[in-house]
Amino acid sequence: MKKILFPFLILFGAGALAAAQTNAPVAKTNSPPTQITSDTADFDLSAHQAVYRGHVKVVNAEVKLTCAWMLVDLPSAGGHLSNIVAETNVVIDMTDAKGQTYHVTSAKAVYAYKTEGVVTNETVTFTGKPRVETATSTIDSEPMIWDRTRNKFTFIGPNMISRESPGAGATNASPLKLF
């Protein structure tokens, strides 16, 4: 496997979230760079794209991603990543600011970043039987959209399974009536 380090590549991570909401510059931190490994990588400098193939693994401080194939539209100097496509057995493990862990699987994940005036849109759209698992629930949805600027998931036609008992932690809670 080839190992490539990109300090500017924040793939599906939360590092630019605060700046994305205000379009303010991202404060530089001492966080480690994003590391990408794969069997092969092709860089098209004219098209500003990188294609990673075979056992692709992306690791940064917030997120771990694995897949079989990944296309990255490389930003110009000082720019922000605008498009990433990960395909085939996509697995993403992440932890939010509150310590909640998420395990997301899908056939395809598409990251899109776009600013129009003062409005920033930053989403990851999961397709191909996407599933998100947390400590308390599992949700299947097609598609599943993660709005990173609002830290919100949107589920279309969700099938949800809760592993938490109703009223857990509540006092004087009424028992759940199924019918």
PDB file of all heavy atoms in Angstrom, residues 1-4 35-42 50-58 65-71 85-90:
ATOM      1  N   MET A   1       0.829  -1.175   0.000  1.00  0.00           N
ATOM      2  CA  MET A   1       0.000   0.000   0.000  1.00  0.00           C
ATOM      3  C   MET A   1       0.871   1.235   0.000  1.00  0.00           C
ATOM      4  O   MET A   1       1.872   1.302   0.676  1.00  0.00           O
ATOM      5  CB  MET A   1      -0.874   0.028   1.243  1.00  0.00           C
ATOM      6  CG  MET A   1      -2.106  -0.775   1.135  1.00  0.00           C
ATOM      7  SD  MET A   1      -3.206  -0.333   2.474  1.00  0.00           S
ATOM      8  CE  MET A   1      -3.994  -1.881   2.693  1.00  0.00           C
ATOM      9  N   LYS A   2       0.429   2.217  -0.726  1.00  0.00           N
ATOM     10  CA  LYS A   2       1.120   3.492  -0.763  1.00  0.00           C
ATOM     11  C   LYS A   2       0.509   4.401   0.299  1.00  0.00           C
ATOM     12  O   LYS A   2      -0.685   4.416   0.504  1.00  0.00           O
ATOM     13  CB  LYS A   2       0.947   4.152  -2.130  1.00  0.00           C
ATOM     14  CG  LYS A   2       1.304   3.251  -3.267  1.00  0.00           C
ATOM     15  CD  LYS A   2       2.573   3.682  -3.889  1.00  0.00           C
ATOM     16  CE  LYS A   2       2.795   2.752  -5.081  1.00  0.00           C
ATOM     17  NZ  LYS A   2       4.069   2.596  -5.487  1.00  0.00           N
ATOM     18  N   LYS A   3       1.346   5.176   0.967  1.00  0.00           N
ATOM     19  CA  LYS A   3       0.879   6.092   1.996  1.00  0.00           C
ATOM     20  C   LYS A   3       1.092   7.516   1.509  1.00  0.00           C
ATOM     21  O   LYS A   3       2.159   7.877   1.057  1.00  0.00           O
ATOM     22  CB  LYS A   3       1.663   5.871   3.283  1.00  0.00           C
ATOM     23  CG  LYS A   3       1.158   6.713   4.433  1.00  0.00           C
ATOM     24  CD  LYS A   3       2.023   6.559   5.656  1.00  0.00           C
ATOM     25  CE  LYS A   3       1.826   5.207   6.271  1.00  0.00           C
ATOM     26  NZ  LYS A   3       2.513   5.074   7.551  1.00  0.00           N
ATOM     27  N   ILE A   4       0.038   8.330   1.590  1.00  0.00           N
ATOM     28  CA  ILE A   4       0.100   9.703   1.145  1.00  0.00           C
ATOM     29  C   ILE A   4      -0.456  10.573   2.269  1.00  0.00           C
ATOM     30  O   ILE A   4      -1.513  10.280   2.825  1.00  0.00           O
ATOM     31  CB  ILE A   4      -0.718   9.903  -0.139  1.00  0.00           C
ATOM     32  CG1 ILE A   4      -0.159   8.993  -1.224  1.00  0.00           C
ATOM     33  CG2 ILE A   4      -0.701  11.350  -0.573  1.00  0.00           C
ATOM     34  CD1 ILE A   4      -1.043   8.816  -2.406  1.00  0.00           C
ATOM     35  N   GLN A  35      -4.210  11.161   6.634  1.00  0.00           N
ATOM     36  CA  GLN A  35      -3.376  10.149   5.994  1.00  0.00           C
ATOM     37  C   GLN A  35      -4.251   9.294   5.088  1.00  0.00           C
ATOM     38  O   GLN A  35      -5.299   8.816   5.501  1.00  0.00           O
ATOM     39  CB  GLN A  35      -2.709   9.280   7.054  1.00  0.00           C
ATOM     40  CG  GLN A  35      -1.851   8.191   6.478  1.00  0.00           C
ATOM     41  CD  GLN A  35      -1.167   7.399   7.580  1.00  0.00           C
ATOM     42  OE1 GLN A  35      -0.765   7.945   8.593  1.00  0.00           O
ATOM     43  NE2 GLN A  35      -1.047   6.115   7.381  1.00  0.00           N
ATOM     44  N   ILE A  36      -3.824   9.112   3.852  1.00  0.00           N
ATOM     45  CA  ILE A  36      -4.551   8.285   2.893  1.00  0.00           C
ATOM     46  C   ILE A  36      -3.616   7.177   2.441  1.00  0.00           C
ATOM     47  O   ILE A  36      -2.489   7.442   2.028  1.00  0.00           O
ATOM     48  CB  ILE A  36      -4.999   9.092   1.660  1.00  0.00           C
ATOM     49  CG1 ILE A  36      -5.892  10.262   2.075  1.00  0.00           C
ATOM     50  CG2 ILE A  36      -5.738   8.187   0.665  1.00  0.00           C
ATOM     51  CD1 ILE A  36      -6.227  11.191   0.945  1.00  0.00           C
ATOM     52  N   THR A  37      -4.100   5.928   2.513  1.00  0.00           N
ATOM     53  CA  THR A  37      -3.342   4.804   1.969  1.00  0.00           C
ATOM     54  C   THR A  37      -4.228   4.090   0.953  1.00  0.00           C
ATOM     55  O   THR A  37      -5.453   4.071   1.073  1.00  0.00           O
ATOM     56  CB  THR A  37      -2.894   3.806   3.058  1.00  0.00           C
ATOM     57  OG1 THR A  37      -4.048   3.330   3.754  1.00  0.00           O
ATOM     58  CG2 THR A  37      -1.938   4.451   4.045  1.00  0.00           C
ATOM     59  N   SER A  38      -3.608   3.527  -0.063  1.00  0.00           N
ATOM     60  CA  SER A  38      -4.329   2.768  -1.085  1.00  0.00           C
ATOM     61  C   SER A  38      -3.327   1.910  -1.844  1.00  0.00           C
ATOM     62  O   SER A  38      -2.119   2.089  -1.707  1.00  0.00           O
ATOM     63  CB  SER A  38      -5.064   3.709  -2.047  1.00  0.00           C
ATOM     64  OG  SER A  38      -4.150   4.497  -2.769  1.00  0.00           O
ATOM     65  N   ASP A  39      -3.837   0.990  -2.641  1.00  0.00           N
ATOM     66  CA  ASP A  39      -2.950   0.163  -3.468  1.00  0.00           C
ATOM     67  C   ASP A  39      -2.318   0.994  -4.572  1.00  0.00           C
ATOM     68  O   ASP A  39      -1.132   0.859  -4.851  1.00  0.00           O
ATOM     69  CB  ASP A  39      -3.711  -1.020  -4.073  1.00  0.00           C
ATOM     70  CG  ASP A  39      -4.163  -2.021  -3.018  1.00  0.00           C
ATOM     71  OD1 ASP A  39      -3.596  -2.020  -1.902  1.00  0.00           O
ATOM     72  OD2 ASP A  39      -5.091  -2.797  -3.308  1.00  0.00           O
ATOM     73  N   THR A  40      -3.124   1.879  -5.199  1.00  0.00           N
ATOM     74  CA  THR A  40      -2.602   2.763  -6.249  1.00  0.00           C
ATOM     75  C   THR A  40      -3.272   4.119  -6.138  1.00  0.00           C
ATOM     76  O   THR A  40      -4.358   4.247  -5.564  1.00  0.00           O
ATOM     77  CB  THR A  40      -2.871   2.210  -7.680  1.00  0.00           C
ATOM     78  OG1 THR A  40      -4.288   2.195  -7.919  1.00  0.00           O
ATOM     79  CG2 THR A  40      -2.281   0.824  -7.869  1.00  0.00           C
ATOM     80  N   ALA A  41      -2.624   5.129  -6.707  1.00  0.00           N
ATOM     81  CA  ALA A  41      -3.194   6.472  -6.761  1.00  0.00           C
ATOM     82  C   ALA A  41      -2.736   7.136  -8.045  1.00  0.00           C
ATOM     83  O   ALA A  41      -1.575   7.012  -8.441  1.00  0.00           O
ATOM     84  CB  ALA A  41      -2.747   7.293  -5.559  1.00  0.00           C
ATOM     85  N   ASP A  42      -3.665   7.793  -8.709  1.00  0.00           N
ATOM     86  CA  ASP A  42      -3.362   8.556  -9.913  1.00  0.00           C
ATOM     87  C   ASP A  42      -3.720  10.008  -9.657  1.00  0.00           C
ATOM     88  O   ASP A  42      -4.825  10.308  -9.198  1.00  0.00           O
ATOM     89  CB  ASP A  42      -4.187   8.052 -11.112  1.00  0.00           C
ATOM     90  CG  ASP A  42      -3.834   6.637 -11.500  1.00  0.00           C
ATOM     91  OD1 ASP A  42      -2.634   6.331 -11.578  1.00  0.00           O
ATOM     92  OD2 ASP A  42      -4.772   5.837 -11.708  1.00  0.00           O
ATOM     93  N   ALA A  50      -7.568  13.457  -7.916  1.00  0.00           N
ATOM     94  CA  ALA A  50      -6.808  12.302  -7.470  1.00  0.00           C
ATOM     95  C   ALA A  50      -7.769  11.118  -7.403  1.00  0.00           C
ATOM     96  O   ALA A  50      -8.903  11.266  -6.938  1.00  0.00           O
ATOM     97  CB  ALA A  50      -6.198  12.550  -6.094  1.00  0.00           C
ATOM     98  N   VAL A  51      -7.324   9.969  -7.912  1.00  0.00           N
ATOM     99  CA  VAL A  51      -8.127   8.754  -7.860  1.00  0.00           C
ATOM    100  C   VAL A  51      -7.330   7.705  -7.098  1.00  0.00           C
ATOM    101  O   VAL A  51      -6.188   7.406  -7.451  1.00  0.00           O
ATOM    102  CB  VAL A  51      -8.476   8.230  -9.272  1.00  0.00           C
ATOM    103  CG1 VAL A  51      -9.259   6.926  -9.172  1.00  0.00           C
ATOM    104  CG2 VAL A  51      -9.267   9.270 -10.052  1.00  0.00           C
ATOM    105  N   TYR A  52      -7.944   7.169  -6.040  1.00  0.00           N
ATOM    106  CA  TYR A  52      -7.319   6.141  -5.212  1.00  0.00           C
ATOM    107  C   TYR A  52      -8.057   4.831  -5.467  1.00  0.00           C
ATOM    108  O   TYR A  52      -9.283   4.810  -5.501  1.00  0.00           O
ATOM    109  CB  TYR A  52      -7.425   6.514  -3.730  1.00  0.00           C
ATOM    110  CG  TYR A  52      -6.768   7.817  -3.399  1.00  0.00           C
ATOM    111  CD1 TYR A  52      -7.476   9.017  -3.482  1.00  0.00           C
ATOM    112  CD2 TYR A  52      -5.433   7.858  -3.011  1.00  0.00           C
ATOM    113  CE1 TYR A  52      -6.867  10.230  -3.184  1.00  0.00           C
ATOM    114  CE2 TYR A  52      -4.823   9.064  -2.703  1.00  0.00           C
ATOM    115  CZ  TYR A  52      -5.550  10.241  -2.793  1.00  0.00           C
ATOM    116  OH  TYR A  52      -4.940  11.427  -2.499  1.00  0.00           O
ATOM    117  N   ARG A  53      -7.298   3.741  -5.626  1.00  0.00           N
ATOM    118  CA  ARG A  53      -7.902   2.436  -5.914  1.00  0.00           C
ATOM    119  C   ARG A  53      -7.314   1.369  -5.004  1.00  0.00           C
ATOM    120  O   ARG A  53      -6.110   1.346  -4.768  1.00  0.00           O
ATOM    121  CB  ARG A  53      -7.629   2.035  -7.360  1.00  0.00           C
ATOM    122  CG  ARG A  53      -8.354   2.869  -8.381  1.00  0.00           C
ATOM    123  CD  ARG A  53      -8.032   2.376  -9.806  1.00  0.00           C
ATOM    124  NE  ARG A  53      -8.581   3.266 -10.787  1.00  0.00           N
ATOM    125  CZ  ARG A  53      -7.964   4.349 -11.244  1.00  0.00           C
ATOM    126  NH1 ARG A  53      -6.772   4.666 -10.805  1.00  0.00           N
ATOM    127  NH2 ARG A  53      -8.554   5.107 -12.141  1.00  0.00           N
ATOM    128  N   GLY A  54      -8.184   0.482  -4.549  1.00  0.00           N
ATOM    129  CA  GLY A  54      -7.757  -0.686  -3.800  1.00  0.00           C
ATOM    130  C   GLY A  54      -7.412  -0.403  -2.353  1.00  0.00           C
ATOM    131  O   GLY A  54      -6.475   0.331  -2.071  1.00  0.00           O
ATOM    132  N   HIS A  55      -8.200  -0.955  -1.441  1.00  0.00           N
ATOM    133  CA  HIS A  55      -7.947  -0.852  -0.005  1.00  0.00           C
ATOM    134  C   HIS A  55      -7.694   0.589   0.427  1.00  0.00           C
ATOM    135  O   HIS A  55      -6.729   0.887   1.132  1.00  0.00           O
ATOM    136  CB  HIS A  55      -6.784  -1.752   0.410  1.00  0.00           C
ATOM    137  CG  HIS A  55      -6.990  -3.179   0.067  1.00  0.00           C
ATOM    138  ND1 HIS A  55      -6.437  -3.742  -1.062  1.00  0.00           N
ATOM    139  CD2 HIS A  55      -7.714  -4.145   0.668  1.00  0.00           C
ATOM    140  CE1 HIS A  55      -6.796  -5.005  -1.128  1.00  0.00           C
ATOM    141  NE2 HIS A  55      -7.580  -5.278  -0.092  1.00  0.00           N
ATOM    142  N   VAL A  56      -8.567   1.496   0.003  1.00  0.00           N
ATOM    143  CA  VAL A  56      -8.420   2.911   0.339  1.00  0.00           C
ATOM    144  C   VAL A  56      -8.764   3.091   1.818  1.00  0.00           C
ATOM    145  O   VAL A  56      -9.787   2.604   2.299  1.00  0.00           O
ATOM    146  CB  VAL A  56      -9.331   3.796  -0.532  1.00  0.00           C
ATOM    147  CG1 VAL A  56      -9.178   5.260  -0.158  1.00  0.00           C
ATOM    148  CG2 VAL A  56      -9.056   3.565  -2.019  1.00  0.00           C
ATOM    149  N   LYS A  57      -7.899   3.799   2.519  1.00  0.00           N
ATOM    150  CA  LYS A  57      -8.113   4.087   3.932  1.00  0.00           C
ATOM    151  C   LYS A  57      -7.742   5.544   4.182  1.00  0.00           C
ATOM    152  O   LYS A  57      -6.655   5.990   3.815  1.00  0.00           O
ATOM    153  CB  LYS A  57      -7.256   3.171   4.803  1.00  0.00           C
ATOM    154  CG  LYS A  57      -7.515   3.316   6.274  1.00  0.00           C
ATOM    155  CD  LYS A  57      -6.716   2.284   7.065  1.00  0.00           C
ATOM    156  CE  LYS A  57      -7.007   2.408   8.545  1.00  0.00           C
ATOM    157  NZ  LYS A  57      -6.227   1.443   9.318  1.00  0.00           N
ATOM    158  N   VAL A  58      -8.667   6.284   4.794  1.00  0.00           N
ATOM    159  CA  VAL A  58      -8.455   7.688   5.123  1.00  0.00           C
ATOM    160  C   VAL A  58      -8.599   7.819   6.634  1.00  0.00           C
ATOM    161  O   VAL A  58      -9.592   7.380   7.209  1.00  0.00           O
ATOM    162  CB  VAL A  58      -9.492   8.597   4.417  1.00  0.00           C
ATOM    163  CG1 VAL A  58      -9.267  10.056   4.781  1.00  0.00           C
ATOM    164  CG2 VAL A  58      -9.451   8.392   2.907  1.00  0.00           C
ATOM    165  N   LEU A  65     -12.197   6.333   7.317  1.00  0.00           N
ATOM    166  CA  LEU A  65     -12.995   5.903   6.176  1.00  0.00           C
ATOM    167  C   LEU A  65     -12.243   4.813   5.441  1.00  0.00           C
ATOM    168  O   LEU A  65     -11.021   4.912   5.271  1.00  0.00           O
ATOM    169  CB  LEU A  65     -13.253   7.075   5.223  1.00  0.00           C
ATOM    170  CG  LEU A  65     -13.912   6.711   3.896  1.00  0.00           C
ATOM    171  CD1 LEU A  65     -14.975   7.723   3.556  1.00  0.00           C
ATOM    172  CD2 LEU A  65     -12.909   6.632   2.765  1.00  0.00           C
ATOM    173  N   THR A  66     -12.963   3.782   5.013  1.00  0.00           N
ATOM    174  CA  THR A  66     -12.391   2.778   4.117  1.00  0.00           C
ATOM    175  C   THR A  66     -13.349   2.588   2.954  1.00  0.00           C
ATOM    176  O   THR A  66     -14.568   2.748   3.092  1.00  0.00           O
ATOM    177  CB  THR A  66     -12.149   1.422   4.814  1.00  0.00           C
ATOM    178  OG1 THR A  66     -13.395   0.920   5.313  1.00  0.00           O
ATOM    179  CG2 THR A  66     -11.145   1.547   5.951  1.00  0.00           C
ATOM    180  N   CYS A  67     -12.788   2.265   1.790  1.00  0.00           N
ATOM    181  CA  CYS A  67     -13.579   1.976   0.599  1.00  0.00           C
ATOM    182  C   CYS A  67     -12.647   1.329  -0.427  1.00  0.00           C
ATOM    183  O   CYS A  67     -11.447   1.177  -0.179  1.00  0.00           O
ATOM    184  CB  CYS A  67     -14.231   3.236   0.025  1.00  0.00           C
ATOM    185  SG  CYS A  67     -13.072   4.496  -0.542  1.00  0.00           S
ATOM    186  N   ALA A  68     -13.175   0.977  -1.587  1.00  0.00           N
ATOM    187  CA  ALA A  68     -12.349   0.370  -2.636  1.00  0.00           C
ATOM    188  C   ALA A  68     -11.859   1.386  -3.652  1.00  0.00           C
ATOM    189  O   ALA A  68     -10.836   1.172  -4.299  1.00  0.00           O
ATOM    190  CB  ALA A  68     -13.135  -0.731  -3.348  1.00  0.00           C
ATOM    191  N   TRP A  69     -12.586   2.516  -3.788  1.00  0.00           N
ATOM    192  CA  TRP A  69     -12.256   3.512  -4.818  1.00  0.00           C
ATOM    193  C   TRP A  69     -12.675   4.892  -4.324  1.00  0.00           C
ATOM    194  O   TRP A  69     -13.747   5.040  -3.727  1.00  0.00           O
ATOM    195  CB  TRP A  69     -13.014   3.170  -6.094  1.00  0.00           C
ATOM    196  CG  TRP A  69     -12.794   4.074  -7.257  1.00  0.00           C
ATOM    197  CD1 TRP A  69     -11.842   3.937  -8.222  1.00  0.00           C
ATOM    198  CD2 TRP A  69     -13.548   5.238  -7.608  1.00  0.00           C
ATOM    199  NE1 TRP A  69     -11.961   4.958  -9.146  1.00  0.00           N
ATOM    200  CE2 TRP A  69     -13.007   5.771  -8.780  1.00  0.00           C
ATOM    201  CE3 TRP A  69     -14.632   5.890  -7.036  1.00  0.00           C
ATOM    202  CZ2 TRP A  69     -13.506   6.909  -9.395  1.00  0.00           C
ATOM    203  CZ3 TRP A  69     -15.131   7.032  -7.638  1.00  0.00           C
ATOM    204  CH2 TRP A  69     -14.565   7.515  -8.820  1.00  0.00           C
ATOM    205  N   MET A  70     -11.832   5.900  -4.568  1.00  0.00           N
ATOM    206  CA  MET A  70     -12.163   7.246  -4.133  1.00  0.00           C
ATOM    207  C   MET A  70     -11.625   8.274  -5.126  1.00  0.00           C
ATOM    208  O   MET A  70     -10.474   8.203  -5.549  1.00  0.00           O
ATOM    209  CB  MET A  70     -11.576   7.529  -2.748  1.00  0.00           C
ATOM    210  CG  MET A  70     -11.967   8.876  -2.179  1.00  0.00           C
ATOM    211  SD  MET A  70     -11.469   9.102  -0.452  1.00  0.00           S
ATOM    212  CE  MET A  70      -9.693   9.225  -0.617  1.00  0.00           C
ATOM    213  N   LEU A  71     -12.481   9.229  -5.493  1.00  0.00           N
ATOM    214  CA  LEU A  71     -12.125  10.338  -6.370  1.00  0.00           C
ATOM    215  C   LEU A  71     -12.173  11.620  -5.552  1.00  0.00           C
ATOM    216  O   LEU A  71     -13.166  11.890  -4.866  1.00  0.00           O
ATOM    217  CB  LEU A  71     -13.112  10.449  -7.536  1.00  0.00           C
ATOM    218  CG  LEU A  71     -13.017  11.716  -8.381  1.00  0.00           C
ATOM    219  CD1 LEU A  71     -11.780  11.668  -9.282  1.00  0.00           C
ATOM    220  CD2 LEU A  71     -14.272  11.907  -9.204  1.00  0.00           C
ATOM    221  N   VAL A  85     -15.872  11.521  -3.896  1.00  0.00           N
ATOM    222  CA  VAL A  85     -16.750  10.377  -4.109  1.00  0.00           C
ATOM    223  C   VAL A  85     -16.009   9.134  -3.631  1.00  0.00           C
ATOM    224  O   VAL A  85     -14.897   8.858  -4.085  1.00  0.00           O
ATOM    225  CB  VAL A  85     -17.132  10.216  -5.595  1.00  0.00           C
ATOM    226  CG1 VAL A  85     -18.026   8.989  -5.785  1.00  0.00           C
ATOM    227  CG2 VAL A  85     -17.817  11.466  -6.123  1.00  0.00           C
ATOM    228  N   ALA A  86     -16.621   8.409  -2.699  1.00  0.00           N
ATOM    229  CA  ALA A  86     -16.076   7.140  -2.212  1.00  0.00           C
ATOM    230  C   ALA A  86     -17.064   6.052  -2.614  1.00  0.00           C
ATOM    231  O   ALA A  86     -18.271   6.207  -2.417  1.00  0.00           O
ATOM    232  CB  ALA A  86     -15.893   7.172  -0.697  1.00  0.00           C
ATOM    233  N   GLU A  87     -16.536   4.956  -3.190  1.00  0.00           N
ATOM    234  CA  GLU A  87     -17.423   3.886  -3.647  1.00  0.00           C
ATOM    235  C   GLU A  87     -16.928   2.515  -3.228  1.00  0.00           C
ATOM    236  O   GLU A  87     -15.744   2.317  -3.023  1.00  0.00           O
ATOM    237  CB  GLU A  87     -17.544   3.916  -5.178  1.00  0.00           C
ATOM    238  CG  GLU A  87     -18.315   5.092  -5.703  1.00  0.00           C
ATOM    239  CD  GLU A  87     -18.573   5.008  -7.198  1.00  0.00           C
ATOM    240  OE1 GLU A  87     -18.088   4.075  -7.868  1.00  0.00           O
ATOM    241  OE2 GLU A  87     -19.262   5.899  -7.713  1.00  0.00           O
ATOM    242  N   THR A  88     -17.859   1.601  -3.170  1.00  0.00           N
ATOM    243  CA  THR A  88     -17.668   0.176  -2.929  1.00  0.00           C
ATOM    244  C   THR A  88     -17.255  -0.088  -1.484  1.00  0.00           C
ATOM    245  O   THR A  88     -16.149   0.238  -1.063  1.00  0.00           O
ATOM    246  CB  THR A  88     -16.654  -0.447  -3.903  1.00  0.00           C
ATOM    247  OG1 THR A  88     -16.985  -0.058  -5.236  1.00  0.00           O
ATOM    248  CG2 THR A  88     -16.667  -1.961  -3.807  1.00  0.00           C
ATOM    249  N   ASN A  89     -18.194  -0.653  -0.738  1.00  0.00           N
ATOM    250  CA  ASN A  89     -17.968  -1.024   0.660  1.00  0.00           C
ATOM    251  C   ASN A  89     -17.454   0.151   1.486  1.00  0.00           C
ATOM    252  O   ASN A  89     -16.441   0.053   2.174  1.00  0.00           O
ATOM    253  CB  ASN A  89     -17.025  -2.220   0.765  1.00  0.00           C
ATOM    254  CG  ASN A  89     -17.567  -3.437   0.068  1.00  0.00           C
ATOM    255  OD1 ASN A  89     -18.761  -3.715   0.116  1.00  0.00           O
ATOM    256  ND2 ASN A  89     -16.702  -4.151  -0.622  1.00  0.00           N
ATOM    257  N   VAL A  90     -18.173   1.262   1.435  1.00  0.00           N
ATOM    258  CA  VAL A  90     -17.780   2.457   2.183  1.00  0.00           C
ATOM    259  C   VAL A  90     -18.116   2.250   3.658  1.00  0.00           C
ATOM    260  O   VAL A  90     -19.242   1.882   4.008  1.00  0.00           O
ATOM    261  CB  VAL A  90     -18.510   3.710   1.644  1.00  0.00           C
ATOM    262  CG1 VAL A  90     -18.153   4.932   2.462  1.00  0.00           C
ATOM    263  CG2 VAL A  90     -18.200   3.918   0.167  1.00  0.00           C
TER     264      VAL A  90
END
